Amino acid sequence: MSVKNVWLLDSGSLVIDHSHIAWNIGPGDPVRFPVYSVLVEHSDGLFLFDSGFDKGTVEEFLAFELPEQTEEQTIPGQLEKCGFKPSDVTAVINSHLHFDHCGGQRHLPDATTWVDRDELRHCLVPEGFERLGYADKVFHRPDSTYRWLEGEEVDFADGIRLLRTPGHTVGHYSMLIERDGQKPMLFCADVTYTQETWDNEWIAGFHNDPTANLESLRKVKHLAERLDAQVFLTHDMNAWESYRHAPDSY
Ligand SMILES: [Zn+2]
């Protein structure tokens, strides 16, 4: 009963303005940033933390983000590199439902979706300022099977803990992976985007509650320090290039 392998699945890249990466900090310049998801092979199942973006959806609704994604960078292409097919994925855990974290779920209709219930509600009935972020609702079908993420900490499976980290969105969760004799791995999704924003405690321009977002950032920083965890930054191209990419695993 434990985590066997962890892969980072490349989903391609997008462009946003630096002033959206670091809210109210300095002037803006376009920045190309990576998008990826995390595949966890566990004795209880094959789990995917987020699922990247869908190029066609971004081209339709957010073409200004200049999506780059090859066939190999889609969820089926990435799973194949790891020796799996889409129907092997038993559950998707969504840190949140922004389009660049759920777009690959169009390929995973049979997987159970684990998400915060309020997050789903905001996605389906967004405020105006959230509308573009929640542009992809493909995961929500009449036959979708949901399990709700509830409370400060969810003991998802042996070695996988999900931590409530709201603010970027209303129901945002981070993932901590712990294995005997190995450095814990902390995936804090969009609590913050880059090494620069992690170091300076800056949050992204996209948020539901900036104060809660900052509190979540301080919480995961403290946890990472206390556990001496390796922090995986979500949207930092330099950091991404230093990580192992599928088919190489952790
Ligand atoms: Zn987001």
Side-chain angles (χ1 to χ4, degrees):
M1 300 278 280
S2 58
V3 173
K4 296 175 187 167
N5 275 301
V6 178
W7 291 271
L8 307 190
L9 307 187
D10 188 2
S11 183
S13 62
L14 299 168
V15 173
I16 55 172
D17 195 275
H18 183 266
S19 62
H20 292 312
I21 291 173
W23 184 47
N24 278 346
I25 307 292
D29 289 302
V31 177
R32 182 161 287 280
F33 67 89
V35 177
Y36 64 93
S37 49
V38 185
L39 182 68
V40 184
E41 187 184 18
H42 192 283
S43 38
D44 291 350
L46 187 65
F47 309 134
L48 191 60
F49 182 69
D50 291 337
S51 62
F53 68 87
D54 176 67
K55 188 165 179 248
T57 302
V58 179
E59 283 169 344
E60 186 177 350
F61 295 105
L62 303 104
F64 55 89
E65 295 206 5
L66 308 174
E68 287 185 359
Q69 184 183 67
T70 64
E71 213 37 50
E72 194 185 81
Q73 290 169 321
T74 62
I75 284 293
Q78 290 290 293
L79 288 172
E80 193 182 336
K81 283 187 142 198
C82 306
F84 298 107
K85 53 189 186 306
S87 59
D88 294 330
V89 177
T90 52
V92 179
I93 305 158
N94 282 114
S95 65
H96 64 304
L97 294 172
H98 279 166
F99 69 92
D100 54 327
H101 295 256
C102 68
Q105 274 148 267
R106 63 194 7 84
H107 304 290
L108 307 166
D110 300 326
T112 298
T113 298
W114 289 73
V115 69
D116 180 284
R117 193 193 301 249
D118 286 339
E119 180 71 21
L120 178 61
R121 287 175 176 157
H122 270 249
C123 175
L124 297 179
V125 189
E127 300 295 348
F129 68 89
E130 300 173 307
R131 191 177 51 83
L132 272 182
Y134 289 129
D136 194 342
K137 297 172 173 58
V138 71
F139 61 90
H140 186 62
R141 300 172 304 274
D143 62 342
S144 291
T145 307
Y146 291 109
R147 296 286 299 273
W148 305 122
L149 299 176
E150 290 174 306
E152 286 303 306
E153 200 169 302
V154 177
D155 185 16
F156 184 78
D158 275 1
I160 306 177
R161 270 198 281 162
L162 307 175
L163 313 161
R164 189 167 179 274
T165 45
H168 175 69
T169 60
V170 72
H172 186 286
Y173 275 78
S174 300
M175 177 171 73
L176 180 71
I177 294 181
E178 295 171 291
R179 285 182 282 187
D180 287 343
Q182 292 192 44
K183 223 173 162 60
M185 302 168 81
L186 179 61
F187 297 93
C188 51
D190 283 358
V191 168
T192 198
Y193 283 14
T194 65
Q195 189 67 55
E196 177 192 37
T197 61
W198 173 273
D199 291 341
N200 289 291
E201 297 186 355
W202 294 339
I203 61 166
F206 309 105
H207 48 247
N208 173 271
D209 178 339
T211 307
N213 193 162
L214 193 54
E215 283 170 10
S216 292
L217 173 53
R218 290 179 176 143
K219 173 174 144 175
V220 292
K221 280 189 81 167
H222 175 72
L223 185 73
E225 203 174 278
R226 196 165 64 74
L227 299 178
D228 189 26
Q230 181 173 4
V231 176
F232 288 83
L233 297 157
T234 309
H235 293 309
D236 184 316
M237 193 59 90
N238 288 331
W240 165 248
E241 283 167 359
S242 75
Y243 302 152
R244 281 178 218 163
H245 305 160
D248 294 338
S249 68
Y250 287 89

